[in-house]
């Protein structure tokens, strides 16, 4: 458990113990335990949930200092090169041996900062996928860093202003400015990168993980691929297990239940395990589609694991959607609260499977078309049908020939002009280039299916959610674990011959085959991945919460309204009833004022 923080003055002016304590207190939650150290112009700290072992620490050796929030999953491999007694010591010795490429040798979840006194530079590292967050602020010869931007904002050590660029990025869903945070000049370290701050003022960001350079292993047969993938998935999951109370997402889908099945199979005391569903046990409204509860029931019976369902209070769905720290999936917050009550210390998630190991048929038609595998494309058409193939061509291929998001069915890259009426003209004028001349890279490109998965990585959809979950979960005393995003698993995934990922045009075939004998068979062979009950429950909560959000808006004092918005425009949006007939428009409307209220709460909490 824990967060890290630090202050470095490159002018070698002394940092006081009060300054680092202020930062540590702001980075953690009120009941956290803190540890800080000062050494003239360098001050470091970490904090953690009481009653938990800290997973952050400080280590010094020779001319380097290391502070790290770190979990390592390849201890045995690292011990072939050096001995260590703690994860932060392992990172320090890896740095001394390999320099800035050290992070590529570590399979783990980490945010680490190395102060190299000899080279006169500070290097910030983040794990390959972004499981643990890390941000920094630099002005002149002062560097301040922490696990999250809200700690820096609350510390009082640096000037704080709202990032208008990030606000636009969120409102118009450009999703391309991941390194920006909610606050001006506080930046995120990009996953798989290290940021070097030199004493002379230079700052550079460089990647250490380069999946695009991983060569395909042409010696792999499909059968060998399945066996190796199974071995890696089991190893990745088991290496993340701890002898404490453990929670697991159990959605009824193949990703979460696959991970949960491995955990269950390797746990002798099943009473120490608890599954959590994103759905209520009963739901009064009709559900269109497959009800995932039947799959959850099958998992419970097969693995002898208790699964808890959500019991949401009135308006809880929308209340969780306006958390100012930008909780990206509000249905998860009640799960976090249940996990705290159950004294859970580790919560396993199947998050990330869609992008890699259980990748569906998304991108297959794009791959076959641009790889000139048109004979295989004809076979795809014969298997999937002409209508399904034409629809795939429209979404995966045609938009690449019609630029700027002009093709109606494919909105990526297209600015939603209806949102402009929410902003004052002066704000639009100030940011017109970002709003109208943006370029958003679409996930389907002119390359093959490997490039498609690389594009999914580059849009940072994964770390955006993991950032939020890491920050909020610490409050409740547990860590998230994502075995499907393990570095060894992903390195192997990128080495697999591309044709195995769409073999027989059977969706998620590789993962399904790897999970034979592990995953509950009813779930493993299910044809769909839909969560009809979760979707219906969420939509019901959103619909019922419209009046609650409107009341919050109406109770805002004039000085609480954000100056670059037009409050009267939001009133018109509220006046439109939530319509099942025009569901997409109603959901877009609600997102408009939900995000506005998020920003209002953010400003009240951190800027006033």
């Amino acid at each position: 458990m824990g967060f890290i923080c630090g202050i470095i003055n490159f002018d070698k002016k002394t940092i006081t113990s009060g300054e680092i304590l202020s930062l540590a207190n702001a980075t953690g939650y009120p009941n956290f335990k803190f540890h800080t150290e000062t050494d003239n112009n360098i001050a470091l700290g970490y904090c953690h949930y009481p009653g938990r072992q800290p997973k952050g620490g400080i280590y010094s050796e020779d001319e380097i200092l290391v502070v790290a929030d770190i979990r390592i999953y390849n201890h045995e491999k690292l011990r072939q090169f050096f001995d260590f007694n703690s994860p932060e010591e392992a990172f320090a010795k890896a740095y001394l041996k390999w320099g800035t490429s050290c992070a590529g040798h570590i399979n783990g979840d980490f945010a680490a900062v190395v102060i190299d006194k000899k080279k006169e530079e500070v290097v910030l590292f983040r794990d390959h996928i972004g499981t643990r967050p890390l941000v920094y602020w630099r002005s002149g010869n002062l560097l301040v860093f922490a696990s999250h931007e809200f700690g820096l904002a609350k510390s009082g050590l640096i000037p704080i202003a709202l990032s208008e660029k990030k606000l636009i990025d969120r409102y118009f869903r450009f999703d391309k400015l991941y390194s920006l945070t909610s606050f001006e000049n506080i930046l995120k370290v990009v996953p798989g990168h290290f940021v070097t701050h030199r004493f002379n003022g230079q700052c550079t960001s460089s990647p250490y993980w380069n999946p695009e350079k991983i060569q395909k292993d042409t010696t792999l047969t499909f059968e060998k691929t399945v066996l190796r993938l199974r071995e890696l998935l089991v190893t990745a999951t088991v290496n993340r297990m701890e002898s404490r109370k453990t929670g697991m997402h159990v959605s009824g889908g193949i990703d979460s239940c696959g991970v949960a099945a491995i955990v269950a199979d390797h746990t002798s005391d099943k009473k120490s395990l608890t599954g959590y569903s994103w759905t209520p046990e009963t739901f009064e409204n009709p559900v269109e589609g497959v009800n995932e509860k039947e799959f959850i029931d099958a998992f419970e019976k097969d693995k002898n694991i208790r699964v808890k369902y959500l019991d949401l209070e009135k308006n809880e769905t929308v209340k969780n959607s306006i958390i100012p720290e930008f909780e990206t999936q509000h249905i998860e917050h009640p799960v976090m609260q249940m996990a705290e009550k159950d004294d859970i210390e580790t919560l396993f998630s199947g998050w990330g499977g869609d992008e890699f190991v259980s990748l569906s048929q998304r991108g297959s038609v794009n791959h076959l078309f641009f790889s000139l595998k048109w004979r295989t494309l004809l076979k795809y058409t014969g298997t999937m049908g002409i209508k399904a193939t034409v629809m795939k061509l429209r979404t995966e291929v045609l938009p690449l020939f019609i630029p700027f998001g002009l093709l109606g069915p494919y909105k990526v890259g297209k600015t939603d002009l209806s949102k402009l009426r929410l902003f004052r003209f002066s704000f639009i004028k100030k940011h017109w280039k970002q709003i109208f001349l943006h370029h958003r890279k679409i996930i389907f490109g002119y390359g093959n299916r490997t490039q498609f998965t690389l594009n999914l990585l580059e849009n940072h959809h994964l770390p955006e959610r993991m950032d939020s979950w890491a920050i909020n979960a610490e409050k409740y005393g547990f860590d998230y674990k994502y075995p499907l995003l393990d570095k060894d698993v992903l390195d192997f995934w990128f080495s697999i011959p591309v044709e195995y990922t769409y073999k027989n045009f059977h969706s998620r075939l590789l993962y399904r085959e790897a999970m034979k004998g592990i995953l509950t068979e009813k779930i493993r062979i299910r044809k769909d991945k839909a969560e009809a009950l979760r979707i219906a429950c969420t939509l019901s909560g959103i619909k019922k919460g419209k009046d609650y959000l409107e009341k919050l808006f109406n109770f805002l004092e004039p000085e609480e309204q954000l100056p670059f918005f037009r409050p009267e425009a939001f009133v018109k949006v509220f006046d439109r009833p939530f319509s099942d007939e025009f569901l997409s428009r109603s959901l877009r409307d609600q997102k408009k004022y939900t995000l506005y209220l998020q920003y209002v709460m953010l400003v009240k909490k951190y800027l006033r």
Side-chain angles (χ1 to χ4, degrees):
M1 309 306 303
F3 294 132
I4 59 172
C5 60
I7 310 169
I8 295 98
N9 190 304
F10 295 113
D11 277 339
K12 299 189 177 180
K13 294 181 180 178
T14 301
I15 307 296
T16 67
S17 58
E19 288 173 315
I20 188 61
L21 278 172
S22 175
L23 180 58
N25 275 283
T27 303
Y29 291 100
N31 59 335
F32 271 31
K33 291 187 175 181
F34 303 92
H35 178 88
T36 61
E37 295 182 11
T38 57
D39 181 13
N40 296 319
N41 65 312
I42 299 170
L44 305 174
Y46 62 90
C47 56
H48 62 95
Y49 187 94
R52 300 285 191 259
Q53 288 297 314
K55 292 181 179 174
I58 300 170
Y59 181 82
S60 62
E61 181 169 337
D62 298 332
E63 291 293 310
I64 69 166
L65 274 170
V66 172
V67 58
D69 164 22
I70 182 169
R71 304 109 181 92
I72 294 178
Y73 308 124
N74 63 337
H75 291 87
E76 292 181 7
K77 184 176 180 180
L78 292 177
R79 290 190 194 280
Q80 295 174 10
F81 300 99
F82 46 76
D83 290 324
F84 55 91
N85 295 312
S86 68
E88 57 270 20
E89 180 184 357
F91 201 96
K93 291 188 173 179
Y95 177 83
L96 289 170
K97 182 173 182 59
W98 293 300
T100 53
S101 64
C102 65
H105 293 269
I106 297 175
N107 183 356
D109 305 332
F110 58 82
V113 179
V114 177
I115 297 96
D116 191 325
K117 297 178 181 179
K118 186 176 181 180
K119 291 184 178 179
E120 294 194 327
E121 59 187 32
V122 179
V123 191
L124 291 77
F125 297 88
R126 197 164 171 206
D127 66 69
H128 70 291
I129 205 70
T131 307
R132 303 305 298 172
L134 184 61
V135 303
Y136 64 93
W137 175 91
R138 174 84 184 262
S139 179
N141 288 318
L142 185 64
L143 171 67
V144 187
F145 64 85
S147 290
H148 54 88
E149 64 265 36
F150 308 104
L152 292 188
K154 196 165 58 174
S155 70
L157 298 175
I158 62 177
I160 296 298
L162 204 62
S163 172
E164 296 179 8
K165 285 186 177 180
K166 187 65 176 181
L167 185 150
I168 294 170
D169 194 58
R170 282 197 176 106
Y171 241 100
F172 291 98
R173 302 189 69 184
F174 296 156
D175 301 327
K176 65 172 185 172
L177 300 177
Y178 172 76
S179 62
L180 299 188
T181 70
S182 305
F183 306 103
E184 194 73 29
N185 298 323
I186 299 179
L187 302 176
K188 291 181 182 180
V189 177
V190 176
H193 284 65
F194 62 91
V195 177
T196 305
H197 291 271
R198 295 177 178 85
F199 283 34
N200 63 11
Q202 291 182 327
C203 175
T204 58
S205 177
S206 307
Y208 67 81
W209 187 53
N210 303 103
E212 70 280 2
K213 295 181 181 179
I214 296 174
Q215 297 296 312
K216 299 297 179 185
D217 186 349
T218 57
T219 66
L220 283 172
T221 63
F222 184 78
E223 291 72 22
K224 287 182 179 178
T225 301
V226 168
L227 291 174
R228 180 59 178 153
L229 182 59
R230 178 184 299 161
E231 177 187 358
L232 287 170
L233 289 172
V234 171
T235 299
T237 305
V238 171
N239 283 349
R240 285 164 169 76
M241 292 174 61
E242 301 177 15
S243 57
R244 299 179 178 91
K245 289 187 178 180
T246 299
M248 307 168 294
H249 283 158
V250 180
S251 69
I254 64 174
D255 293 339
S256 66
C257 288
V259 170
I262 297 172
V263 174
D265 289 349
H266 289 81
T267 302
S268 56
D269 180 13
K270 299 294 192 291
K271 291 181 179 179
S272 68
L273 303 179
T274 304
Y276 296 99
S277 167
W278 281 339
T279 63
E281 191 163 10
T282 59
F283 187 60
E284 67 275 12
N285 296 342
V287 176
E288 295 183 8
V290 179
N291 186 333
E292 56 266 31
K293 190 176 185 300
E294 65 179 89
F295 296 102
I296 295 173
D297 289 343
F299 177 87
E300 279 190 295
K301 184 178 180 181
D302 180 36
K303 300 299 181 182
N304 192 27
I305 301 298
R306 174 187 57 167
V307 177
K308 289 189 173 183
Y309 292 85
L310 289 189
D311 183 16
L312 297 177
E313 298 178 0
K314 183 179 180 182
N315 294 322
E316 190 167 359
T317 298
V318 293
K319 285 179 181 178
N320 291 327
S321 70
I322 55 173
I323 294 172
E325 289 79 18
F326 296 95
E327 175 57 66
T328 57
Q329 191 157 3
H330 46 78
I331 57 173
E332 178 64 7
H333 212 77
V335 170
M336 296 183 190
Q337 293 166 333
M338 286 194 295
E340 183 187 36
K341 290 180 181 178
D342 294 333
D343 200 29
I344 297 297
E345 293 195 37
T346 298
L347 200 155
F348 280 87
S349 171
W351 180 235
D354 276 348
E355 280 73 13
F356 302 104
V357 296
S358 69
L359 184 66
S360 67
Q361 289 296 304
R362 280 190 309 166
S364 297
V365 168
N366 174 279
H367 167 77
L368 295 173
F369 184 89
F370 287 109
S371 298
L372 303 181
K373 298 181 182 295
W374 293 353
R375 182 177 296 180
T376 308
L377 184 57
L378 286 174
K379 291 181 181 179
Y380 179 95
T381 305
T383 302
M384 308 303 291
I386 295 176
K387 183 177 179 180
T389 306
V390 169
M391 290 302 296
K392 288 287 187 181
L393 286 167
R394 289 182 66 188
T395 57
E396 296 183 7
V397 176
L398 191 56
L400 296 166
F401 295 100
I402 303 177
F404 309 116
L406 296 177
L407 189 66
Y410 201 65
K411 301 290 187 182
V412 173
K414 188 173 182 179
T415 300
D416 183 356
L417 296 179
S418 68
K419 294 177 181 176
L420 290 176
R421 69 189 66 175
L422 304 177
F423 293 91
R424 297 193 185 280
F425 177 75
S426 57
F427 185 81
I428 297 171
K429 182 180 178 181
K430 179 180 179 181
H431 297 286
W432 70 271
K433 287 185 179 180
Q434 184 186 353
I435 295 172
F436 296 107
L437 301 182
H438 72 278
H439 172 71
R440 179 179 177 185
K441 185 176 182 179
I442 61 176
I443 57 175
F444 302 109
Y446 299 100
N448 58 24
R449 193 160 155 89
T450 300
Q451 186 57 51
F452 167 60
T453 57
L454 290 170
N455 291 344
L456 289 174
L457 264 180
E458 290 177 14
N459 75 5
H460 295 117
H461 172 53
L462 294 169
E464 281 284 6
R465 179 182 293 184
M466 291 189 293
D467 288 344
S468 172
W469 283 9
I471 294 168
N472 286 291
E474 289 291 339
K475 182 192 309 180
Y476 302 112
F478 67 88
D479 278 339
Y480 280 99
K481 299 294 177 67
Y482 308 97
L484 301 188
L485 296 172
D486 179 86
K487 185 175 181 295
D488 288 347
V489 169
L490 296 192
D491 284 348
F492 177 68
W493 174 260
F494 281 105
S495 76
I496 295 172
V498 177
E499 58 268 23
Y500 295 167
T501 69
Y502 58 85
K503 186 177 174 65
N504 299 336
F505 313 121
H506 189 156
S507 185
R508 313 173 199 277
L509 180 61
L510 259 179
Y511 183 77
R512 293 179 194 274
E513 290 296 302
M515 285 290 108
K516 269 187 178 179
I518 299 174
L519 178 57
T520 303
E521 192 66 8
K522 181 180 177 69
I523 299 171
R524 192 187 72 84
I525 64 174
R526 66 178 294 190
K527 293 182 179 180
D528 70 309
K529 197 176 178 293
E531 296 176 332
L533 180 59
R534 178 183 68 81
I535 294 170
C537 176
T538 301
L539 288 177
S540 175
I542 291 172
K543 184 176 181 180
K544 291 178 180 178
K546 181 179 184 295
D547 292 341
Y548 172 81
L549 293 175
E550 186 173 5
K551 287 179 181 178
L552 278 183
F553 180 86
N554 290 334
F555 278 119
L556 292 177
E557 298 294 335
E559 63 272 15
E560 293 178 322
Q561 301 283 358
L562 301 182
F564 27 78
F565 284 92
R566 298 174 60 241
E568 63 274 16
F570 281 99
V571 173
K572 291 182 180 179
V573 176
F574 275 118
D575 285 343
R576 285 204 292 255
F578 196 102
S579 169
D580 291 329
E581 183 179 357
F582 300 103
L583 182 60
S584 294
R585 189 194 70 181
S586 294
L587 291 175
R588 288 197 303 271
D589 283 348
Q590 192 136 326
K591 286 179 181 178
K592 291 174 185 176
Y593 44 78
T594 297
L595 187 55
Y596 179 77
L597 289 170
Q598 279 184 323
Y599 266 103
V600 169
M601 300 301 175
L602 182 82
V603 170
K604 286 175 67 175
K605 188 171 181 178
Y606 294 101
L607 296 171
R608 285 184 180 156

